[in-house]
Amino acid sequence: MRVEARAPVRSRLRRPAGSRVERAQPDAAALQPPATREQILAIAARLFSERGYANTTLRQIAQEAGIQAGSIYYHFDGKDEIAACVLDEGIAAVTDAVQRRLAALPPDADMRTRLGAAVEGHLWGMLQRGEFTAAHIRIYRYVSDAARQRHRSIRSAYTQLWDGLLQQAADAGLLRRDIPVPMVRQFLVGALNWPVDWYDPQRGSFEQLAAQLTALALDGMTVQPPVPATRRRTRAL
């Protein structure tokens, strides 16, 4: 008995005359260009600042970026390199802002003016790159030794920038001599880091913020008692 081979099902289906084939439309996500290195870093910085280092995974970063987890390795070796780059971006932002403010000053600017410019620059860099600087503050102590080692040189350079500036102020007699410069730097820069969490531009301009924190840093928070006027000696009659 001879069995005739059946034609493929699709060839036996006839479309009505004049009908058009409906082609599947590509998914909207597929039309998006692949995430760039900068986009991945920005997403990682936001997740690090929100969730911390340990609670942020490569899969979560990839999902937010709209890519497969394995695609991250096209740009980075892994989570350690991403963390080191986020740390670098945070410090680079404030370093550039401080250097620009100092460079814009006239050559004869006094030390108080220079310190005020550095304070303003640090605040500006912190707030302009808020997710990177916030991530730096939150994750630095928790990243791997490898990530910290990659980041060490740029962090040290910023420390030296402040130490040099504060030492000049100390030499000019502007700072107290009973407190070491490194301690002054740690206190000052540490205090200047936190406005990234609480500053609200609707409650005051950036200029107001910079002026107020500069006054706190250089003049303190206590009211200085008035100096009594020196009594004039009465002339002997």
Side-chain angles (χ1 to χ4, degrees):
M1 179 176 179
R2 184 178 178 182
V3 179
E4 294 185 0
R6 293 184 178 181
V9 174
R10 62 176 178 271
S11 65
R12 294 188 290 113
L13 297 177
R14 294 184 179 181
R15 299 188 300 271
S19 65
R20 297 168 59 185
V21 177
E22 294 293 335
R23 297 184 178 181
Q25 297 297 318
D27 183 66
L31 298 177
Q32 300 295 325
T36 65
R37 178 184 175 91
E38 291 73 21
Q39 289 170 333
I40 293 172
L41 282 179
I43 290 168
R46 175 171 57 79
L47 293 178
F48 286 153
S49 65
E50 293 173 352
R51 305 176 183 180
Y53 181 71
N55 293 326
T56 300
T57 66
L58 287 180
R59 184 176 299 277
Q60 291 169 340
I61 295 172
Q63 183 177 7
E64 292 282 338
I67 60 176
Q68 297 295 321
S71 300
I72 288 181
Y73 292 99
Y74 178 80
H75 300 284
F76 303 97
D77 292 338
K79 186 177 173 181
D80 280 349
E81 185 182 4
I82 293 176
C85 291
V86 168
L87 294 176
D88 286 352
E89 286 286 336
I91 288 291
V94 292
T95 300
D96 179 69
V98 169
Q99 290 176 333
R100 286 177 180 272
R101 293 298 196 284
L102 292 174
L105 296 175
D108 59 347
D110 59 28
M111 280 310 307
R112 183 184 176 88
T113 302
R114 289 175 59 79
L115 285 176
V119 168
E120 181 179 329
H122 184 93
L123 289 170
W124 181 260
M126 289 288 298
L127 297 174
Q128 285 295 106
R129 300 285 280 173
E131 289 179 343
F132 284 92
T133 52
H136 186 286
I137 295 170
R138 181 165 187 182
I139 72 172
Y140 177 75
R141 298 177 63 182
Y142 304 103
V143 299
S144 67
D145 291 339
R148 278 197 297 270
Q149 184 62 36
R150 290 174 62 101
H151 172 65
R152 194 178 306 279
S153 61
I154 187 171
R155 183 182 177 92
S156 296
Y158 190 60
T159 297
Q160 292 170 10
L161 172 62
W162 271 103
D163 281 351
L165 187 64
L166 291 170
Q167 187 60 58
Q168 292 173 19
D171 293 342
L174 188 61
L175 300 183
R176 292 173 51 168
R177 296 186 178 276
D178 59 331
I179 302 178
V181 163
M183 183 178 292
V184 176
R185 182 251 305 156
Q186 290 174 328
F187 175 79
L188 177 60
V189 175
L192 295 177
N193 283 342
W194 291 108
V196 72
D197 279 347
W198 54 259
Y199 171 63
D200 182 357
Q202 294 183 349
R203 295 186 177 182
S205 68
F206 171 79
E207 290 75 16
Q208 290 175 319
L209 174 71
Q212 290 168 346
L213 292 187
T214 299
L216 280 173
L218 301 185
D219 301 326
M221 64 180 182
T222 59
V223 177
Q224 299 299 321
V227 178
T230 304
R231 295 182 179 178
R232 296 181 180 179
R233 292 183 179 180
T234 58
R235 294 182 181 180
L237 296 175

